[in-house]
Amino acid sequence: MSAAVKDLGEILEELGSSIKKQVLWGTVILAGTGVVTRFLGLYNRVFLANIIGAGQIGIYQMIFPVFMVCNAVCCSGIETALSRLVATYGGMGCQKNVGRLVRIAVSLSMVLALLFAVGVFWGAEFISTYLLNEPKCAACLKVMSPVILFSTAHSCILGYFYGLKKTVIPASSQLVEQIFRVLAIYILAEAWYNQDADGALLAVFGMAAGDGISCIYTFIAYKIHVRGERKRTLSSRQPAAPYGFLFKKLMGDALPLTVNRLALTMLQSVEAVLIPAMMKLYYLAEGEAMEIYGIITGMAMPFITFPSTLTGSLASMLLPTVAEAVGRGDYSLVKRAVSKSLHYCLIIGILSMSIFGLYGNGLGTVFFNNSAAGQILAAFALLCPFLYTSASLASVLNGLGKTQMTLLHNVVSSGLRMIFIVALVPSMGISGYLWGMLASSILLCLLHTIQIGRICGLRFNVVKTLVVPFAGTVLGAFVSRAVYRWTLNAWSLSPIAVIAIPCFSMAVVYVLVLMAAGSIPSVNPLDFFMERSQNNQTK
């Protein structure tokens, strides 16, 4: 990560020191809190899996298609549009317009959220029986309904802070949400839950607590920030635009974004409902299909997506560079930035694939006490390079202004995946779903890469990006297996240490090989202190 930051810093130098400082500082905050939040989320998954079991986790995961559709309609497009307009008017010093835009966005979103929350609460039985094909989800949907309100208000306020490039509040709100979610689940598990209770409800109550507290936190932070802005801009006499004009501006941006987001969300929701339905045709035992679905979505995928915290941070660092360079017409800089993003996403993806493929069985058994979770984690490790790379390339395409093309690529990829689910899962089970995920992820990467290549070109060094990393994983695997044999004989080590030490040793060998071969720049920690000391002396 530090090597990537060093490379990015060199690129950002071409855009000016003020942009470099803002982008790097904002990304460090998001990446740091993102890693902590993911750790807490992973702990929460492990705790839930051992308390309520895979079947109940599957039921809990089934309510998310409904939640995603509500979120897409109520706030996804409005949040992004608000962020853009806040950035525009905030940069012009029109704070009155910013305040009016926030009031319009929150009011509209909350009206929509209230309608959807009431609809989900009263229609829970119908939705669970006829749309989700799982009647046990009804109680979870009723508990989830107020979360739509919390999440909508929270998202709109975050749009305001993102527009001002104030990343501290969005980052800390994620942390607050995860902390209170974990605390609520732990307290309820100790005080209320028993084996006869509906375990999925425990997870939904935790979700409601986390979103509710996070919503209150962001609202208080917003009020404090607005009060400070009023004092700072008290002398400004710039008139505010009419509410009608600002409403039209907001809707002009929000409606296309909402339609795009809703289309993609509907496809993802249909896919999420299809998976357990098709699995029931293969796993004939009662509840087995839901258990497998719970293992995939609630146990294996959180591990698979955990390293994406780093790749997502790299993408967020490069996006401002891309947008600024496009504005200047400097496509050579765009090419360098995108090539760096692709390079580091593949490096992180190859390492993650190797670790999960080699030690997935042990990780699943140690953390979830579930051998099936380990087997699925090891099998799904193949997805890592493609999942991380496609997400980063999608961000770059959006930064280039090709949001419609990003949507089209996702629709095509999702369509291919659904074909695999319908055609192969009933006869092959989980293997059919894995092949569908792999084929669609590869296709998505290719579509994004071809489109970006047409716009600005890509610089791809096969040796440094593929050959050297794969060589590093081979050497790392030999070393880590030797370390693993040693940890097995060290009787005083805990099971987590037995599996964590070999994984860490493999990562260390991998990084050393990449640094020795020049795939990543060598980073001396003392350089940062020396640079800081020199900066202080020049002030």
Side-chain angles (χ1 to χ4, degrees):
M1 182 69 175
S2 58
V5 171
K6 181 179 179 180
D7 270 343
L8 177 66
E10 294 172 358
I11 295 174
L12 288 174
E13 287 288 358
E14 299 183 27
L15 297 179
S17 60
S18 61
I19 294 176
K20 175 182 176 182
K21 180 179 179 181
Q22 187 178 42
V23 173
L24 290 180
W25 174 241
T27 305
V28 166
I29 293 172
L30 288 173
T33 54
V35 169
V36 175
T37 301
R38 285 295 182 100
F39 266 119
L40 288 171
L42 198 57
Y43 166 80
N44 189 40
R45 297 283 184 172
V46 172
F47 182 76
L48 277 174
N50 288 288
I51 293 292
I52 67 177
Q56 289 296 312
I57 287 181
I59 292 172
Y60 167 62
Q61 292 292 141
M62 283 290 291
I63 69 173
F64 279 95
V66 179
F67 180 75
M68 288 191 302
V69 169
C70 295
N71 184 266
V73 175
C74 296
C75 64
S76 63
I78 293 175
E79 176 191 356
T80 305
L82 176 64
S83 178
R84 291 179 181 177
L85 290 173
V86 166
T88 300
Y89 285 113
M92 296 164 56
C94 305
Q95 295 303 320
K96 292 179 181 178
N97 285 348
V98 169
R100 288 190 172 190
L101 280 166
V102 173
R103 286 192 286 274
I104 293 169
V106 171
S107 300
L108 177 61
S109 294
M110 292 304 290
V111 169
L112 292 171
L114 182 60
L115 293 174
F116 274 90
V118 172
V120 169
F121 183 86
W122 291 110
E125 283 79 9
F126 176 84
I127 295 170
S128 61
T129 303
Y130 296 103
L131 298 182
L132 300 181
N133 197 29
E134 183 53 70
K136 295 178 181 178
C137 291
C140 295
L141 287 172
K142 289 185 176 181
V143 176
M144 184 207 73
S145 57
V147 179
I148 299 171
L149 295 166
F150 301 147
S151 177
T152 298
H154 174 236
S155 296
C156 287
I157 296 172
L158 291 190
Y160 165 79
F161 282 108
Y162 281 127
L164 296 177
K165 297 181 178 63
K166 304 288 185 182
T167 57
V168 173
I169 299 303
S172 58
S173 70
Q174 294 177 13
L175 195 57
V176 168
E177 178 185 340
Q178 200 62 256
I179 289 172
F180 279 93
R181 177 179 295 197
V182 172
L183 283 175
I185 289 174
Y186 179 79
I187 292 170
L188 287 173
E190 292 293 324
W192 165 75
Y193 180 73
N194 58 64
Q195 294 299 321
D196 298 325
D198 189 351
L201 280 176
L202 181 67
V204 184
F205 276 122
M207 175 184 175
D211 274 88
I213 297 297
S214 181
C215 179
I216 294 170
Y217 169 78
T218 51
F219 179 75
I220 294 172
Y222 169 74
K223 285 294 186 182
I224 293 172
H225 186 268
V226 167
R227 187 176 299 172
E229 286 295 303
R230 283 175 182 168
K231 291 179 180 178
R232 189 174 64 84
T233 60
L234 197 60
S235 59
S236 175
R237 296 181 179 179
Q238 195 164 10
Y243 275 101
F245 172 80
L246 293 174
F247 177 80
K248 289 179 181 178
K249 289 279 289 184
L250 183 68
M251 288 297 97
D253 284 351
L255 281 176
L257 290 168
T258 300
V259 171
N260 289 349
R261 178 74 179 186
L262 181 60
L264 183 57
T265 301
M266 290 295 291
L267 278 174
Q268 293 171 340
S269 299
V270 171
E271 179 186 331
V273 174
L274 271 178
I275 295 169
M278 294 298 103
M279 284 184 177
K280 287 180 180 178
L281 300 177
Y282 180 83
Y283 301 100
L284 299 178
E286 181 69 26
E288 186 178 3
M290 192 55 66
E291 286 186 12
I292 297 296
Y293 181 70
I295 290 171
I296 295 171
T297 56
M299 298 181 187
M301 290 310 293
F303 260 103
I304 294 294
T305 57
F306 182 81
S308 65
T309 305
L310 300 179
T311 58
S313 300
L314 290 175
S316 67
M317 282 192 285
L318 287 163
L319 273 177
T321 313
V322 171
E324 180 74 12
V326 169
R328 289 167 36 183
D330 189 355
Y331 283 91
S332 63
L333 182 58
V334 174
K335 180 179 178 179
R336 286 182 57 201
V338 176
S339 299
K340 287 293 182 184
S341 176
L342 178 63
H343 176 72
Y344 283 108
C345 285
L346 284 172
I347 282 177
I348 295 172
I350 291 170
L351 173 62
S352 303
M353 177 183 67
S354 304
I355 289 177
F356 293 141
L358 198 59
Y359 296 105
N361 283 305
L363 289 168
T365 302
V366 168
F367 283 95
F368 298 109
N369 195 27
N370 190 313
S371 59
Q375 293 168 6
I376 292 173
L377 176 58
F380 276 57
L382 289 169
L383 299 173
C384 290
F386 308 107
L387 288 179
Y388 306 163
T389 303
S390 63
S392 179
L393 293 178
S395 297
V396 171
L397 271 178
N398 289 333
L400 290 168
K402 301 296 181 181
T403 53
Q404 297 293 334
M405 195 58 65
T406 306
L407 173 65
L408 177 61
H409 293 173
N410 279 295
V411 168
V412 172
S413 173
S414 183
L416 177 64
R417 193 159 54 248
M418 282 194 280
I419 291 172
F420 272 82
I421 291 170
V422 174
L424 297 185
V425 170
S427 59
M428 296 176 63
I430 188 64
S431 299
Y433 179 58
L434 172 60
W435 286 116
M437 285 283 290
L438 188 59
S440 62
S441 298
I442 293 173
L443 176 63
L444 189 59
C445 282
L446 288 174
L447 291 174
H448 287 343
T449 302
I450 291 170
Q451 185 64 34
I452 292 172
R454 288 174 177 172
I455 296 171
C456 61
L458 278 172
R459 186 171 54 198
F460 188 80
N461 190 319
V462 176
V463 174
K464 289 188 175 182
T465 305
L466 294 178
V467 177
V468 171
F470 276 112
T473 60
V474 172
L475 182 59
F478 278 111
V479 174
S480 68
R481 294 307 290 182
V483 173
Y484 180 62
R485 287 190 291 269
W486 173 80
T487 57
L488 286 176
N489 296 324
W491 58 270
S492 59
L493 293 176
S494 66
I496 293 179
V498 168
I499 199 72
I501 293 174
C503 291
F504 179 74
S505 65
M506 184 174 185
V508 170
V509 172
Y510 181 80
V511 170
L512 291 176
V513 169
L514 263 59
M515 291 173 66
S519 288
I520 59 175
S522 300
V523 179
N524 183 356
L526 292 177
D527 291 343
F528 294 100
F529 294 101
M530 293 293 292
E531 182 181 354
R532 183 175 179 181
S533 176
Q534 291 172 0
N535 290 338
N536 289 335
Q537 289 175 7
T538 57
K539 289 182 180 180

